[in-house]
Amino acid sequence: MIRALLLTLAVEVPLYVLALTALRFATAGRALLLGVAVNLLTHPLLWWSLAPSPSAGALWTAEAAVVVAEAGVLWLATRRDPALLLVASLGANAASLLIGLVT
């Protein structure tokens, strides 16, 4: 789980920083903190929900819930366009899922 968390942070945090700063929803420092925070909140829950033997359906359901949860936390922190935050969350999570599946 720790290796997966570190990989998730390495992939998602830069994407969140890029998205949130490009959209002018946060400064780089705040975007960095938000990227770390949303992952520290959702990653353990994702792993817990998939234990002990994940299925493809459970994975997709859990990932969808994480996307929505992370977008919700970002919205609470920024009070900016929820649709754009959902797209940012989807992109960051899709990238980390893809990299996680191929490594």
Side-chain angles (χ1 to χ4, degrees), residues 5 34-46 66 69-70 73:
L5 175 61
L34 288 170
V36 170
V38 297
N39 279 288
L40 290 179
L41 289 171
T42 60
H43 196 269
L45 297 173
L46 172 73
V66 165
E70 289 184 8
V73 171

Side-chain angles (χ1 to χ4, degrees), residues 14-81:
L15 293 173
Y16 275 129
V17 171
L18 180 65
L20 295 174
T21 56
L23 292 166
R24 298 189 179 161
F25 287 1
T27 64
R30 182 167 165 84
L32 178 88
L33 291 174
L34 288 170
V36 170
V38 297
N39 279 288
L40 290 179
L41 289 171
T42 60
H43 196 269
L45 297 173
L46 172 73
W47 277 84
W48 175 78
S49 71
L50 294 175
S53 57
S55 66
L59 175 64
W60 292 116
T61 301
E63 283 290 344
V66 165
V67 167
V68 172
E70 289 184 8
V73 171
L74 292 173
W75 180 82
L76 288 171
T78 65
R79 301 295 180 166
R80 303 302 291 263
D81 187 335

